Amino acid sequence: MSKAELLKEPAHSTPQPFVIGPEEGEAYWMLGTLTIIKATGEETDGSFSLSEQLAPAGFSPPKHVHPEDDELFYVLSGRVTFEIGDERITVTPGSTVYAPHGIPHSYVTEEETRSLIQVFKPGFEQFFAAVGRPAESWTIPTEGPTEEEMTKVSEVAGQYGFEIIGPPLNAEH
């Protein structure tokens, strides 16, 4: 099934149980982070995808909006400032942040952060593979976002159900 089909059409089979261990999953270096795909839309019968992200202090994706996708963030460690719509809030470990579809959002890590990111449309997790590259180790890459990656994000955003509407955030504003 193509990525476009995964984004648009839910599967109609019976989901099968699975377990992904602590250091299992497809790992990618993308935009200066380590992102590990823990559950794909295909594995969850089109219900959701789940990724684990380890990000350095100061990381921020470009401000974006998902017209049809909801995102859920669970902070495992670190401190993160989220901007969702007009609201800005800083959260700590154990916090859950919900970014509903249609509302612009982004975040900036105040310190090294580990979090889970759940997206409710299948196929979005493949965005990490499209923009990043397979991780050489289970660590944050030494280089931050490259110009090539930022260009690729803009080029493929629409294919994965979101639109870039602004630059990354910074901790000061």
Side-chain angles (χ1 to χ4, degrees):
M1 182 175 282
S2 74
K3 292 175 196 169
E5 290 171 320
L6 281 173
L7 284 169
K8 293 180 181 173
E9 296 182 26
H12 296 289
S13 61
T14 303
Q16 297 300 308
F18 65 92
V19 175
I20 300 290
E23 290 200 15
E24 294 179 335
E26 292 180 40
Y28 295 94
W29 281 344
M30 186 195 75
L31 300 178
T33 71
L34 171 66
T35 301
I36 304 127
I37 298 172
K38 301 304 264 183
T40 66
E42 187 174 350
E43 293 166 330
T44 65
D45 193 37
S47 296
F48 66 92
S49 67
L50 181 69
S51 300
E52 180 179 355
Q53 188 175 73
L54 185 59
F59 168 72
S60 176
K63 191 168 190 178
H64 60 281
V65 65
H66 301 262
E68 299 177 9
D69 259 351
D70 295 335
E71 276 187 287
L72 187 72
F73 301 86
Y74 182 78
V75 178
L76 297 164
S77 66
R79 187 176 141 103
V80 186
T81 297
F82 284 86
E83 186 173 285
I84 302 174
D86 295 331
E87 184 145 353
R88 194 168 175 111
I89 184 165
T90 300
V91 300
T92 55
S95 298
T96 300
V97 177
Y98 175 62
H101 66 280
I103 299 179
H105 61 279
S106 188
Y107 59 91
V108 60
T109 55
E110 306 290 334
E111 56 193 42
E112 186 174 297
T113 302
R114 189 168 149 242
S115 59
L116 296 175
I117 304 170
Q118 182 176 0
V119 179
F120 294 90
K121 276 210 140 184
F124 177 79
E125 70 279 4
Q126 297 307 315
F127 165 75
F128 303 118
V131 173
R133 66 185 192 279
E136 296 171 17
S137 65
W138 285 61
T139 58
I140 294 172
T142 54
E143 73 280 352
T146 66
E147 194 63 42
E148 180 181 328
E149 287 176 321
M150 294 305 287
T151 299
K152 186 81 167 178
V153 167
S154 296
E155 290 174 356
V156 303
Q159 295 172 27
Y160 295 94
F162 69 100
E163 177 184 349
I164 303 296
I165 60 169
L169 302 180
N170 63 51
E172 290 79 45
H173 89 274

